[in-house]
């Protein structure tokens, strides 16, 4: 039993700091404002953060390979607007996700081509894409919202309760299957291998270029799913969706214990990171602290997560365990 | 010894441009030639100096970022540090009562302290710079917003200080250009000509190797981050002097523009490569592009697309010339690099083709707009009372933010009025709220030589200087939607005073609530000037007339519908007794209404300031009781009419009415043209409006 516990704690040690922080926030809320835990609030929190979480799943893969993708916010906006335009043009609502998904994969694959195949630095390529997609969208929509959508656009034409359940189910399914695939499939192990040492991975017969290409294309797909699920919660599509998403997603990934240098980190950590950063704003409103300090507190959480990570690494070293062996591999 | 000999024999091209920065030189020459021919007054000395004035703040950040990136790091916190420094400077000068020079020194120290915090995390705890500065990006902006509550700002700086950002040296050279030149020279010298600077290249190539070579890596890196913090503070000072106002939102998003300039300039994001000259070339090629698009009247959104293509294009050229070099002279490392495959060449060709297509498309737009000018010119003059036979009146009109639905509808009205009056309308402005960008656009219009300028002012102090300059050059200036200082414009098209808006909103909310209960406000961003002014009057009105109404929460939406939705959900749960949610930003009202709808609460109503089309479904289904607004299309149309009447001399000081054709006649009071009272849209009248 204790052996199991220690294995568990060693396996998930990287997620310990954000889990502890989330625990502190939740306990504090339980004492100060128990109504925070009402079913309605938890449901709303989940629905409002599911899109960021799905995007952050993709970002986790990208960061695990040692790269970064800051074009996700702009891709998110392009996919949202595309969903609205397609629905308005008369495409059956059940076919809209198919097209949007294809668009997301295409945008991700373009990143993947330039970064994976041609070996260009990801921060530059995705910076260029972020600006280019955003301005393309501004140019084509002129800032106008997509309005007068068919009535079955909102909630896919289902009842709101059923659709909300479905949105959350998709989020949970993506997170669990992602976590499982990263841990148990050869494909998932390759992501870690490439992130830990691309050259070693290449010598071991893995093509790092294909892995990176796949990771960026997958991220594009996840972004389009997130955009689709978010768009159908409303009856109109604003053209400025997803501004600042890239920073939210990167922050959640990092707070969740994934090393920005690649090779270390888990989906579970990212989900906890999203929960922590997503809950903090609402929690402050419940406690009655003004919204002015939210940004400063989120910055402190990121730095604290780094501090926790460093502390953990130091402790691990003291215990004569190489840091890498402690990771959830 | 051997090395220095070979280096001396390298051709000048390689020594000056080690990272193929000559590509940028070609781009710059191409831009100058294309825009010099197609743009109005592009190739003039005055424009050359104006362009450089606008690039100083970003330039300072980019110069400081170059050594950071050369050392293999990055600093994302510089934009936020500008916000914090601007607020700190305002505090030191006004609240602490320090003289300007002392306040400047203290502000620079704040910047260095912020840089030092980054340095401690990066060098002492060995955290990746990307993450550390991502955290401090949030932290510094958050502190700036926290201490000012988003609302407070500082203005009224003495003229001597404002000269730094608005004045000229010797009549032509903008003051801050001298600052940029000095910093550039100093950075070039210290990065390329000192041991400490050269050490950064070694660190960028291999920090571990540099350490073995006896370089104090931690100390060198710390210096670089402290200097980058100081440079951000310096940029903030220039920014404040340029705009005449210090606010917590200074420098938002500047970090990405600075990074773009540095990387475009040939610096490798992995470290070890990059030059100050390259950074300057990168900076100017972006700034020239934006200015050129403006003066040729092409959509400013093209700049983002072209910069993106340029970024990827330059690194592609770099990667492939390197491949070619390694193949020509095989070195021990060459075997580790994968060879260029046919598939890669195909991809490269595809990317180049895509870039070419985009450039071709932009030229097509340009040619089309020129053709439109030529064709539309003579035939319309008969219908235009104000235009001379050879020259159609050109009216330049600027919204606060182009993407805002409120301004999109005003644009529609302005367009139809321009067509009816036979004048040309130039519609341009920032994509999001950005006071500095507004100045930039007005400067471009002055250079271009338009007949009249109409501005919806984001920042009163910031824009007035440049508007006065426009008037000095004989351009008629109108403000609309929000006013500048009275002597900076000829007329103000006033749709409603902040007091009138605040009172109408409050009265409407009180009517719905029956005079008592709890009220919550969803505003735009916490530092939005307009909304904060309205909130002030709402609070005054509540205190004076409705003592039984309590304002329980003011939450931000950042102009984002989804954020307004989430904030409203939380407010409804935390304050279950709230009867009315008042949303005072156009996208926030439908967001709040959707939240009320999904909560199933029939006892909560939404009111606020928004557009009829956006809110129509919710007004019909009952979540929104009413919205307060004026006819924004009329506002746009009236503004064009006022500008045209001014340009033709029809409207002058002392007029008491203005005839606006279809819309009827409008009252003129002093130098204000009044649109009329705010209008309340509700279920009974909403269908009569379409904007």
């Amino acid at each position: 039993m204790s052996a199991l516990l220690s294995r568990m704690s060693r396996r998930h040690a990287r997620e310990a700091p954000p889990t502890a922080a989330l625990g502190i926030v939740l306990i504090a809320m339980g004492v100060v404002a128990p109504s925070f835990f009402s079913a309605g609030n938890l449901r709303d929190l989940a629905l409002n953060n599911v899109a960021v979480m799905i995007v952050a799943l993709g970002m986790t893969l990208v960061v695990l390979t040692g790269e970064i993708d800051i074009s996700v916010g702009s891709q998110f906006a392009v996919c949202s607007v595309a969903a609205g335009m397609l629905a308005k043009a008369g495409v059956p609502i059940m076919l809209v996700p198919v097209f949007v998904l294809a668009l997301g994969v295409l945008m991700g694959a373009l990143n993947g081509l330039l970064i994976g195949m041609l070996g260009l630095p990801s921060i530059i390529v995705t910076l260029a894409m972020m600006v280019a997609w955003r301005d393309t969208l501004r140019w084509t929509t002129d800032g106008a919202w997509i309005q007068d959508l068919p009535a079955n656009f909102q909630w896919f034409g289902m009842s709101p309760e059923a659709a909300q359940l479905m949105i959350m189910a998709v989020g949970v399914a993506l997170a669990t299957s992602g976590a499982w695939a990263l841990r148990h499939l050869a494909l998932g192990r390759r992501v870690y291998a490439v992130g830990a040492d691309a050259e070693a991975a290449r010598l071991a017969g893995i093509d790092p270029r294909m892995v990176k290409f796949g990771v960026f294309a997958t991220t594009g797909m996840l972004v389009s799913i997130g955009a689709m699920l978010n768009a159908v919660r409303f009856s109109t599509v604003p053209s400025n969706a997803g501004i600042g998403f890239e920073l939210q997603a990167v922050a959640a990934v990092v707070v969740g214990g994934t090393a920005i240098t690649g090779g270390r980190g888990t989906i579970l950590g990212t989900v906890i990171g999203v929960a922590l950063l997503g809950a903090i704003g609402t929690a402050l409103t419940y406690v009655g602290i003004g919204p002015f300090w939210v940004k400063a507190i989120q910055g402190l959480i990121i730095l604290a997560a780094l501090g926790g990570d460093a502390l953990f690494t130091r402790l691990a070293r003291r215990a004569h365990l190489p840091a890498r062996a402690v990771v959830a591999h | 010894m051997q090395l220095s000999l070979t280096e001396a024999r390298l051709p000048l091209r390689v020594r000056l441009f080690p990272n193929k920065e000559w590509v940028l030189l070609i781009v710059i020459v191409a831009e100058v030639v294309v825009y010099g021919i197609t743009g109005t007054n592009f190739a003039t000395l005055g424009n050359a100096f104006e362009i450089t004035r606008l690039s100083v703040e970003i330039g300072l950040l980019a110069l400081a970022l170059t050594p950071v990136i050369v050392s293999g790091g990055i600093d994302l916190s510089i934009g936020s540090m500008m916000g914090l420094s601007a607020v700190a400077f305002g505090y030191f000068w006004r609240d602490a009562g320090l003289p300007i020079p002392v306040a400047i020194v203290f502000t620079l120290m704040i910047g260095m302290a912020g840089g030092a915090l980054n340095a401690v995390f990066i060098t002492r705890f060995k955290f990746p710079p990307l993450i550390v500065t991502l955290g401090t990006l949030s932290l510094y902006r958050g502190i700036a917003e926290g201490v000012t509550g988003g609302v407070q700002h500082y203005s009224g700086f003495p003229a001597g200080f404002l000269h730094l950002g608005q004045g000229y040296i010797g009549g032509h050279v903008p003051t801050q250009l001298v600052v940029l030149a000095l910093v550039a020279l100093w950075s070039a010298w210290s990065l390329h000509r000192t041991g400490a600077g050269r050490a950064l290249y070694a660190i960028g190539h291999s920090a571990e190797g540099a350490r073995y070579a006896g370089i104090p890596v931690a100390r060198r890196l710390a210096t670089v981050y402290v200097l980058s913090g100081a440079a951000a503070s310096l940029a903030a000072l220039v920014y404040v002097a340029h705009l005449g106002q210090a606010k917590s939102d200074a420098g938002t998003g500047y970090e990405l523009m600075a990074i773009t300039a540095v990387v475009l300039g040939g610096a490798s994001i992995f470290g070890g490569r990059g030059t100050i000259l390259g950074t300057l070339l990168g900076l100017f090629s972006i700034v020239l592009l934006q200015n050129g698009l403006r003066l040729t009247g092409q959509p400013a959104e093209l700049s983002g697309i072209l910069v993106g293509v340029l970024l990827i294009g330059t690194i592609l050229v770099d990667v492939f010339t390197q491949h070619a070099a390694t193949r020509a002279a095989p070195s021990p490392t060459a075997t580790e690099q994968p060879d260029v495959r046919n598939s890669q060449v195909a991809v490269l060709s595809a990317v180049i083709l895509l870039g070419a297509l985009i450039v071709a498309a932009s030229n097509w737009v340009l040619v089309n707009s020129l053709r439109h000018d030529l064709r539309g010119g003579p035939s319309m003059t008969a219908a235009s009372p104000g235009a001379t036979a050879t020259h159609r009146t050109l009216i330049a009109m600027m919204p606060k933010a182009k993407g805002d639905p409120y301004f999109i509808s005003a644009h529609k009205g302005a367009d139809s009025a321009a067509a009816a009056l036979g004048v040309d309308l130039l519609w341009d402005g920032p994509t999001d709220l950005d006071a500095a960008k507004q100045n930039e656009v007005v400067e471009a219009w002055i250079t271009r030589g338009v007949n009249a300028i109409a501005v919806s002012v984001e920042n009163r102090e910031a824009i007035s200087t440049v508007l006065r300059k426009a008037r000095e050059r004989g351009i008629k200036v109108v403000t609309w939607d929000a006013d500048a200082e009275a002597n900076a414009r000829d007329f103000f098209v006033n749709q409603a005073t902040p007091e009138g808006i605040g009172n109408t909103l409050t009265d409407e909310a009180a009517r719905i609530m029956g005079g008592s209960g709890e009220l919550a406000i969803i505003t735009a961003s916490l530092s939005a000037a307009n909304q904060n002014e309205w909130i002030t009057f709402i609070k005054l009105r509540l205190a004076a007339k409705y003592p039984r109404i309590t304002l329980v929460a003011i939450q931000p939406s950042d102009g984002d519908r989804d954020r307004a939705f989430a904030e409203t959900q939380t407010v409804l749960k935390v304050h279950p007794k709230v009867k009315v949610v008042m949303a005072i930003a156009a996208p926030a009202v439908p967001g709040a209404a959707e939240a009320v709808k999904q909560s199933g609460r029939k006892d909560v109503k939404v009111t606020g300031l928004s557009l009829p089309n956006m809110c129509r479904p919710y007004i019909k289904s009952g979540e929104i009781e009413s919205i307060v607004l004026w006819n924004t299309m009329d506002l746009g149309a009236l503004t064009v009419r006022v500008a045209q009447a001014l340009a033709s001399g029809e409207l002058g000081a002392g007029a008491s009415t203005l005839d606006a054709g279809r819309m009827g006649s409008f009252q003129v009071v002093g130098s204000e043209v009044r649109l009329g009272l705010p209008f309340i849209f509700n279920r009974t009248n909403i269908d009569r409006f379409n904007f």
Side-chain angles (χ1 to χ4, degrees):
Chain A
M1 186 63 202
S2 74
L4 181 73
L5 264 180
S6 89
R7 220 179 78 210
M8 281 289 289
S9 71
R10 222 182 293 160
R11 178 182 288 168
H12 291 296
R14 289 192 71 87
E15 293 93 336
T19 314
L22 184 62
I24 291 170
V25 170
L26 293 183
I27 291 171
M29 291 313 293
V31 175
V32 182
S35 57
F36 182 82
F37 295 101
S38 69
N41 189 45
L42 295 180
R43 182 201 60 209
D44 290 345
L45 266 179
L47 282 172
N48 287 334
N49 286 295
V50 77
V52 180
M53 189 208 66
I54 295 175
V55 172
L57 293 182
M59 189 68 82
T60 311
L61 300 180
V62 169
V63 173
L64 277 178
T65 61
E67 305 286 348
I68 198 160
D69 186 348
I70 53 176
S71 66
V72 287
S74 298
Q75 291 185 17
F76 189 88
V78 171
C79 289
S80 306
V81 168
M85 284 180 163
L86 287 168
K88 200 174 175 178
V91 176
I93 187 67
M94 284 307 153
L95 281 182
V96 170
V98 179
F99 286 108
V100 173
L101 220 68
L103 180 66
V105 172
L106 266 181
M107 285 191 290
L110 181 59
N111 284 341
L113 264 182
L114 293 166
I115 296 159
M117 297 301 171
L118 294 176
L120 305 185
S122 56
I123 188 164
I124 305 306
V125 170
T126 56
L127 173 71
M129 290 299 169
M130 167 174 128
V131 181
W133 288 131
R134 183 68 71 185
D135 270 358
T136 307
L137 200 59
R138 277 183 182 138
W139 196 19
T140 47
T141 63
D142 214 358
W145 289 21
I146 316 293
Q147 292 186 312
D148 305 320
L149 295 169
N152 66 357
F153 181 81
Q154 193 170 19
W155 308 122
F156 287 117
M158 301 188 234
S159 76
E161 290 73 25
Q164 288 173 348
L165 215 60
M166 187 208 70
I167 291 171
M168 284 191 266
V170 171
V172 171
L174 285 174
T176 44
S177 62
W180 180 80
L182 266 186
R183 230 178 110 69
H184 294 291
L185 287 189
L187 267 176
R189 307 316 295 166
R190 284 182 191 161
V191 172
Y192 284 103
V194 168
D197 190 331
E199 187 56 20
R202 194 177 70 81
L203 295 173
I206 299 170
D207 187 351
R209 295 178 301 176
M210 276 314 288
V211 171
K212 285 186 181 175
F213 173 81
V215 159
F216 276 95
T218 311
T219 301
M221 185 186 73
L222 287 169
V223 168
S224 67
I225 296 176
M228 195 68 225
L229 293 182
N230 191 57
V232 294
R233 294 165 59 217
F234 302 92
S235 54
T236 53
V237 181
S239 55
N240 64 348
I243 287 182
F245 250 45
E246 54 284 341
L247 290 186
Q248 282 184 39
V250 173
V253 169
V254 170
V255 167
T258 300
I260 199 77
T261 42
R264 287 179 285 159
T266 60
I267 295 280
L268 176 66
T270 299
V271 173
I272 291 171
V274 171
L276 179 58
L277 292 176
I280 202 80
T282 309
L284 286 178
T285 312
Y286 266 89
V287 181
I289 297 176
F292 303 102
W293 291 99
V294 172
K295 248 180 226 163
I297 290 174
Q298 285 177 337
L300 280 177
I301 289 179
I302 298 176
L303 293 181
L306 287 177
D309 190 37
L311 194 70
F312 155 72
T313 315
R314 202 162 290 174
L315 287 179
R317 217 173 278 154
R318 198 165 296 163
H320 301 291
L321 291 166
R324 233 166 237 192
V326 193
V327 186
H329 268 204
Chain B
M1 196 62 203
Q2 189 69 37
L3 193 75
S4 69
L5 272 177
T6 42
E7 209 166 70
R9 259 189 268 120
L10 285 172
L12 184 68
R13 181 169 64 94
V14 181
R15 264 185 296 150
L16 255 186
F17 307 121
N19 310 319
K20 301 174 195 67
E21 290 93 334
W22 48 266
V23 174
L24 287 175
L25 214 52
I26 297 175
V27 170
I28 290 180
V29 169
E31 281 172 358
V32 170
V33 170
V34 170
Y35 294 129
I37 296 170
T38 55
T40 319
N41 298 336
F42 177 82
T44 56
L45 190 65
N47 191 40
F49 281 128
E50 279 321 322
I51 291 177
T52 47
R53 181 200 287 277
L54 300 169
S55 58
V56 167
E57 287 95 334
I58 307 236
L60 286 173
L61 297 184
L63 285 175
L65 208 52
T66 310
V68 173
I69 290 183
V70 162
S71 75
I74 194 137
D75 189 347
L76 296 176
S77 69
I78 42 180
S80 297
M81 184 33 102
M82 271 183 76
L84 182 57
S85 298
V87 168
F89 175 69
Y91 171 81
F92 288 138
W93 173 71
R94 197 184 73 188
D95 295 353
L98 297 173
I100 289 281
V102 182
I104 289 180
V105 171
F106 274 40
T107 308
L108 290 176
M109 281 165 68
I110 293 268
M112 291 162 92
L117 181 66
N118 285 336
V120 166
F121 272 103
I122 293 165
T123 61
R124 184 89 186 83
F125 300 124
K126 309 249 182 314
F127 294 150
L130 183 72
I131 300 308
V132 171
T133 55
L134 180 70
T136 49
L137 162 103
S138 216
L139 182 67
Y140 295 156
R141 181 78 63 196
I143 294 176
E145 278 183 2
V147 294
T148 58
V151 183
Q152 188 163 3
H153 60 267
Y154 302 89
S155 57
F157 295 100
F161 173 68
L162 294 181
H163 186 78
L164 172 66
Q166 301 172 0
Y168 294 91
I169 290 179
H172 277 300
V173 184
T175 319
Q176 63 262 56
L177 185 56
V178 178
V179 176
L180 181 71
L182 288 177
V183 173
L185 283 177
W186 183 79
S187 338
W189 175 76
S190 51
L191 184 62
H192 301 308
R193 286 284 174 268
T194 67
R198 303 305 302 170
L200 293 177
Y201 287 88
I203 295 171
H205 272 298
S206 164
E208 198 57 22
R211 198 174 68 82
Y212 286 131
I215 293 171
V217 174
R219 209 186 311 156
R220 290 284 170 271
L221 284 182
T223 316
V224 165
Y225 285 96
V226 170
L227 282 179
S228 121
S233 286
L234 185 60
L237 290 170
V238 173
Y239 182 89
V240 171
H242 188 185
L243 295 187
Q245 195 192 47
K247 235 173 96 188
S248 60
D249 64 354
T252 307
Y254 276 29
E255 59 279 349
L256 287 181
M257 288 193 262
I259 293 173
T260 311
V262 175
V263 172
L264 204 52
S268 161
I269 203 77
F270 302 122
R273 276 178 36 190
T275 60
I276 294 293
L277 178 64
T279 297
L280 288 177
L281 288 176
L283 175 71
F284 288 131
S285 56
I286 298 174
V287 176
L288 274 175
L289 179 71
Q290 289 177 343
N291 179 266
L293 287 175
R294 211 139 257 152
L295 291 184
T296 50
Q298 291 190 68
E301 286 80 10
L302 268 180
S303 77
I305 302 168
L306 289 174
V307 166
V309 171
L310 208 56
L311 256 180
I312 294 181
T314 44
I315 43 174
L316 269 179
V317 167
D318 192 38
V319 165
F320 279 86
T321 43
Q322 254 175 9
H323 276 311
T326 44
R327 269 207 301 189
S331 66
T333 52
T335 49
E336 289 178 16
Q337 295 211 347
D339 284 334
V340 185
R341 286 194 193 159
N342 282 344
S343 62
Q344 288 178 319
V345 175
V347 172
L348 175 67
S349 319
V351 172
I352 292 174
L353 195 68
L354 188 73
L357 274 178
I358 291 171
V359 174
S362 78
N363 283 335
W364 179 77
V365 172
L366 173 68
V367 170
N368 254 18
S369 64
L370 284 179
R371 197 185 297 152
H372 171 81
D373 285 352
L374 293 176
R375 199 182 37 205
S379 63
M380 293 289 282
T381 33
S384 65
T388 60
T390 51
H391 190 77
R392 271 161 68 95
T393 306
L394 180 57
I395 295 172
M397 192 162 165
M398 173 150 49
K400 275 185 197 164
K402 269 161 85 180
D404 190 323
Y406 171 89
F407 289 105
I408 293 170
S409 66
H411 184 195
K412 270 193 217 160
D415 261 343
S416 59
L421 293 166
V423 296
D424 283 329
L425 179 72
L426 197 63
W427 177 270
D428 196 5
T431 41
D432 301 304
L433 295 179
D434 182 347
K437 201 83 189 171
Q438 284 208 317
N439 282 27
E440 193 179 323
V441 176
V442 173
E443 292 278 6
W445 284 343
I446 296 175
T447 307
R448 192 169 165 174
V450 300
N451 300 89
I453 291 176
V455 185
S456 166
V457 176
E458 164 67 15
N459 183 324
R460 206 182 165 81
E461 287 86 359
I463 199 120
S464 292
T465 315
V466 65
L467 289 184
R468 273 190 285 269
K469 183 172 152 194
R471 291 188 73 190
E472 281 165 24
R473 309 274 167 98
I475 299 171
K476 299 294 177 190
V477 176
V478 182
T479 51
W480 61 288
D481 180 58
D483 200 6
E485 284 163 15
N487 65 353
R489 42 78 175 162
D490 296 282
F491 275 93
F492 171 43
V493 182
N494 194 352
Q495 80 285 17
T497 59
E499 192 176 0
I501 296 169
N503 289 352
T504 315
L505 281 168
T506 317
D507 293 346
E508 184 61 15
R511 184 187 66 75
I512 300 167
M513 296 165 73
S516 69
E518 291 189 351
L519 171 73
I521 292 181
I522 307 289
T523 177
S525 74
L526 290 172
S527 53
N530 261 5
Q531 274 79 358
N532 284 329
E533 215 175 343
W534 298 338
I535 290 173
T536 312
F537 284 110
I538 290 171
K539 283 181 178 164
L540 283 175
R541 185 76 164 182
L542 284 176
K545 268 191 82 177
Y546 308 106
R548 287 186 301 139
I549 296 180
T550 40
L551 179 57
V552 292
I554 301 175
Q555 295 293 126
S557 71
D558 290 335
D560 182 2
R561 196 261 328 254
D562 298 6
R563 177 89 193 270
F565 172 80
E567 293 288 352
T568 308
Q569 283 186 327
T570 310
V571 163
L572 289 182
K573 274 171 265 166
V574 178
H575 305 285
K577 281 188 286 182
V578 161
K579 282 193 201 163
V580 165
V581 178
M582 184 198 285
I584 52 176
V589 178
E594 185 67 35
V596 170
K597 187 179 176 189
Q598 293 190 18
S599 76
R601 294 272 301 268
K602 299 282 181 214
D603 55 330
V604 181
K605 295 291 175 201
V606 178
T607 182
L609 202 94
S610 189
L611 294 156
N613 279 1
M614 237 173 207
C615 301
R616 194 185 315 275
Y618 300 107
I619 289 183
K620 292 204 164 157
S621 58
E623 287 83 17
I624 300 181
E625 179 70 28
S626 59
I627 48 171
V628 175
L629 198 69
W630 37 92
N631 192 326
T632 49
M633 283 176 76
D634 280 359
L635 176 62
L638 179 61
T639 305
V640 170
R641 168 66 182 138
V642 171
Q644 180 260 342
L646 265 172
S648 67
E650 203 181 321
L651 177 67
S656 65
T657 56
L658 175 72
D659 178 39
R662 177 186 63 79
M663 293 187 293
S665 118
F666 289 90
Q667 196 192 359
V668 182
V669 182
S671 60
E672 283 188 11
V673 184
R674 297 260 166 97
L675 182 73
L677 288 171
F679 190 79
I680 296 174
F681 299 87
N682 55 33
R683 208 169 313 166
T684 56
N685 60 18
I686 185 87
D687 280 332
R688 303 209 318 260
F689 301 93
N690 181 25
F691 61 93

